[in-house]
Amino acid sequence: MSKNGHDNIKRFMRGLIKRNPGEPEFHQAVHEVAESLLPFIREHREYRRARILERMTEPDRIVIFRVTWEDDRGRFRANRAWRVQFNNSIGPYKGGLRFHPKVNLSVLKFLGFEQTFKNSLTGLPIGGAKGGSNFNPKGKSDREVMRFCQSLMLELHRHIGDDIDVPAGDIGVGRREISYLFGQFKRLQNRFAGILTGKGLSFGGSLIRTEATGYGSVYFMEKMLAHRGEDLEGKTCVVSGSGNVALYTIEKLSQLGARVVAASDSGGFVHDPQGIRDEKLEWLKSLKEARRGRISEYAEEFGCDYHAGKRPWGVRCDLAFPSATQNEIRGDDAKALLDNGLLGLSEGANMPSTVEAQRRFHAARILFGPAKAANAGGVAVSALEQSQNALRISWSRDEVDSRLREIMKNIHEKCVRYGEEDDGYVDYVRGANIGGFVKVADAMLAYGVV
Ligand code: NDP
Ligand code: 2IT
């Protein structure tokens, strides 16, 4: 990039940081996008004149509220919750809710900003949002989680709706939480509508939604490999996390002939050189989905190594699937992966690679599938759930899965269209950023000064 180009980004970021002090995750997400987009915008006068990127980095609105609830011992508890409605230019706001003690406004703004581009990439009519709370579901009883969710919905229901904003799950928010939230919404508004996705199958949920993010991340990797004349067969893989995204990434990888040798949680990682598959995978699913146990129990059950307090990136692999949280791959982790011969990485989590890690992956020219492309399968099937709800029908597993495959293929094509360089190398980061930007930006231009 020219000196002028660098100065341009610096100037833009200075303004953004000044307007949004103390929000490092938000700065990081915008910086990555600005690096791809500012040179592109310079070549398109209409976007420059309309100050599109300045406007796209300002959320439409943010709702912040207190959630008061009572724990099992009768004590009063208070948490904070947010809904960041980032951009509804191409459809109603859409994006998950995260319950985790480290949730703050910076994290939710980065997630909402990313969501706007991701949702556009799916080709479906969904705007970008994110929300959540600093509530920690770990160690809470089902009743406590229910009371918290009901109290949260008491406020949130005023701000969401099937044509307004449709939340879903994310870290700490799965089927149980969505069910409590949906039940409370229905009670408050006396109407049954698709105002949340990831619902139970008996009350409007879609087949494949549970699997969609993990499956989609693997389908995206398949497409990147195919573009280089390779496939998944026999590849050794490392997955981080053991939650919703990780479990179904592992499942699809093993179905497609790859071997997953590591998985993790916030306590550490397990290394199973034989591969996490078949009855071992089913055991892990029930450990995490039903019993809410720790990954260390997998090592005890199957007699493999457990590394407490460590991330899994030192394990030799061909392919990596970070599927836990933001900034979980640091510069030294990226170096370890590359030194071990990493071929490709698909980001199941949102922004799992630090700036330094991304720089190393880019320099090594590996297949790097950025989150907004690689993990878009989850929200895409959420949008399919919305369509089924609106039509009051349910599609079969095969129908939803084949639509998901088609969507991931189209996202891959968009990334290639905007990210392919003269020598055939595809910069998927640039491709996803520009590919996601154009549709939203054109809608904003059409609306005039809004
Ligand atoms: P879950 O809550 O189901 O699982 C999260 C997993 O990541 C758990 O294994 C958890 O371990 C681990 N984890 C969470 N925070 C940390 C941390 N700070 N350090 C280390 N490990 C951590 O969440 P999901 O699987 O739904 O989400 C995982 C990632 O995927 C997130 O980045 C999310 O934004 C992204 N994503 C999710 C989508 C979805 O459809 N659910 C869609 C697209 C992206 P522990 O249990 O010990 O906390
Ligand atoms: O980050 C994400 O894309 C999600 N957590 C899923 C959002 C959704 O609306 O399904």
Side-chain angles (χ1 to χ4, degrees), residues 263-407:
S264 67
D265 62 20
S266 58
F269 76 91
V270 292
H271 183 196
D272 182 354
Q274 305 307 316
I276 304 170
R277 58 186 311 154
D278 306 325
E279 63 283 357
K280 289 196 279 185
L281 176 57
E282 290 312 311
W283 189 93
L284 182 60
K285 275 196 208 166
S286 106
L287 173 77
K288 286 292 178 180
E289 291 178 336
R291 288 180 279 135
R292 300 180 189 274
R294 310 304 303 156
I295 195 100
S296 56
E297 296 170 50
Y298 178 98
E300 285 160 27
E301 179 75 14
F302 298 110
C304 61
D305 290 341
Y306 172 64
H307 302 265
K310 297 248 158 46
R311 298 189 293 273
W313 313 121
V315 175
R316 202 209 74 75
C317 62
D318 304 307
L319 304 173
F321 295 83
S323 308
T325 194
Q326 65 271 7
N327 291 327
E328 56 168 315
I329 304 188
R330 318 244 168 104
D332 52 341
D333 298 318
K335 181 173 182 312
L337 284 163
L338 292 168
D339 287 348
N340 280 329
L342 187 75
L343 182 69
L345 183 147
S346 181
E347 292 189 329
N350 285 307
M351 203 166 77
S353 311
T354 61
V355 175
E356 170 65 9
Q358 263 211 42
R359 198 189 56 70
R360 284 179 186 268
F361 292 138
H362 188 253
R365 289 167 100 74
I366 61 155
L367 298 172
F368 180 84
K372 56 176 80 66
N375 73 33
V379 75
V381 174
S382 275
L384 300 180
E385 184 172 324
Q386 289 178 267
S387 302
Q388 293 169 81
N389 291 163
L391 296 167
R392 298 189 192 285
I393 55 166
S394 300
W395 291 325
S396 68
R397 239 185 118 76
D398 284 351
E399 171 81 34
V400 181
D401 193 38
S402 70
R403 284 176 189 257
L404 170 62
R405 277 182 185 272
E406 185 67 22
I407 290 166

Side-chain angles (χ1 to χ4, degrees), residues 65-81 99-101 132-155 176 180-181 184:
F65 53 100
R66 183 181 67 238
V67 182
T68 314
W69 56 284
E70 207 177 337
D71 68 20
D72 286 345
R73 293 165 61 189
R75 286 181 307 197
F76 283 45
R77 308 282 288 258
N79 287 93
R80 185 177 301 165
F99 293 171
H100 190 278
S133 172
N134 57 4
F135 173 74
N136 184 2
K138 266 198 210 121
K140 303 285 191 303
S141 69
D142 287 351
R143 291 275 137 177
E144 289 177 324
V145 171
M146 180 187 77
R147 285 194 292 273
F148 174 79
C149 288
Q150 291 180 338
S151 181
L152 181 132
M153 189 51 91
L154 210 50
E155 175 62 35
R176 176 183 61 173
Y180 291 144
L181 290 164
Q184 179 75 337

